[in-house]
Amino acid sequence: MNIILFGAPGAGKGTQSAMLVDKLGMVQISTGDLFRSAIKNSTELGLAAKSYMDRGDLVPDSIVIGMVEEVLKGLKGKSFILDGFPRTVAQAEALGKMLQVNSMSIGKAIFLEVPKEELLDRLTGRRVCQSCGAVYHIHSKPPKEAGVCDQCSGQVVQRNDDKEDVIATRLKTYEENTLPLRGFYRDNGKYVEVSGNREAGQVFEAIRSLLA
Ligand code: AMP
């Protein structure tokens, strides 16, 4: 089954996607990761996305939709997780068309619900490995050696858009543009809500049971 994972920044979409990839062999399509990798490689796509991301704004729909279209074409039948896409109703509508053209479908659009206080704590404390993308938290999951990734010894840093002033913009952008997707997916019968305000393993089990 193909799924959409959506929710606020810091809701745990990346963590849950990584677990779904690891334990169920699904393919993760993270638009945020794709943009970060494009920026790292200084591609045209990266250049186009960087200023929006640095401000905490959404990258324009036309750029994101074109990028996802390319990725979907190369999937070869594997079950996938859309992580961070769609983020606007226009993206959701475009996705519907892309899926139809590629004879694909979405089984569930899973909304990860997390209270704002908790989101703020997760985002301000989040640190990531610059090399492999492993995610840490300064209090709840620090790397064994400060600033060094447990998995690959890469440098563990704060994402530019996890700085406090940018977080405020990201949360506002989310409320205005992405929250309306709940109504969109309720209307087409795919919507499911899962509490993301608990230990990652428990959230994963809740998601896994929805896929059975
Ligand atoms: P994420 O890693 O999902 O938190 O995404 C990081 C940033 O990438 C977002 O704050 C946006 O600037 C950009 N981005 C990721 N996905 C999308 C999307 N579907 N639409 C527009 N911008 C996106």
Side-chain angles (χ1 to χ4, degrees), residues 7-10 13-14 30-36 39 49-61 63-65 67-68 83-88 91 123 126 159 161-162 166 169-170 173 178:
K13 302 183 291 292
S30 159
T31 42
D33 284 351
L34 289 169
F35 285 134
R36 277 184 289 278
I39 290 171
K50 188 173 184 331
S51 60
Y52 297 99
M53 291 176 74
D54 283 348
R55 287 196 302 270
D57 288 336
L58 292 181
V59 177
D61 285 339
I63 298 178
V64 191
I65 290 166
M67 180 175 79
V68 173
D83 160 11
F85 180 90
R87 256 177 159 98
T88 65
Q91 289 179 16
L123 290 168
R126 178 160 69 183
R159 266 168 56 172
D161 60 351
D162 280 345
V166 185
T169 309
R170 288 170 69 204
T173 303
T178 309

Side-chain angles (χ1 to χ4, degrees), residues 5-13 16 110-119 122 174 179 182 186 191-198 203 207:
L5 264 190
F6 72 117
K13 302 183 291 292
Q16 292 304 319
I110 302 173
F111 178 70
L112 286 178
E113 166 77 43
V114 175
K116 200 161 177 177
E117 289 281 285
E118 173 67 17
L119 292 173
R122 288 185 188 181
Y174 157 75
L179 264 185
R182 291 196 296 184
R186 259 194 205 112
Y191 183 80
V192 193
E193 203 165 294
V194 166
S195 167
N197 193 22
R198 48 191 164 160
V203 181
I207 294 176

Side-chain angles (χ1 to χ4, degrees), residues 72 80 82 94-106:
L72 284 183
F80 59 84
L82 286 170
L95 172 65
K97 290 189 191 128
M98 282 188 248
L99 292 170
Q100 211 175 5
V101 168
N102 290 288
S103 307
M104 294 169 169
S105 63
I106 291 293

Side-chain angles (χ1 to χ4, degrees), residues 65-169:
I65 290 166
M67 180 175 79
V68 173
E69 206 161 16
E70 287 307 307
V71 178
L72 284 183
K73 278 186 206 156
L75 276 181
K76 302 194 181 114
K78 283 195 168 174
S79 291
F80 59 84
I81 313 146
L82 286 170
D83 160 11
F85 180 90
R87 256 177 159 98
T88 65
V89 171
Q91 289 179 16
E93 286 168 349
L95 172 65
K97 290 189 191 128
M98 282 188 248
L99 292 170
Q100 211 175 5
V101 168
N102 290 288
S103 307
M104 294 169 169
S105 63
I106 291 293
K108 295 204 160 53
I110 302 173
F111 178 70
L112 286 178
E113 166 77 43
V114 175
K116 200 161 177 177
E117 289 281 285
E118 173 67 17
L119 292 173
L120 285 172
D121 176 67
R122 288 185 188 181
L123 290 168
T124 51
R126 178 160 69 183
R127 299 293 183 269
V128 294
C129 172
Q130 255 179 341
S131 303
C132 74
V135 181
Y136 297 91
H137 186 279
I138 49 171
H139 301 305
S140 58
K141 196 189 167 199
K144 289 190 188 93
E145 188 183 334
V148 181
C149 179
D150 294 350
Q151 287 171 30
C152 76
S153 301
Q155 205 184 347
V156 174
V157 298
Q158 184 173 39
R159 266 168 56 172
N160 275 338
D161 60 351
D162 280 345
K163 309 244 158 86
E164 242 169 284
D165 50 335
V166 185
I167 288 174
T169 309

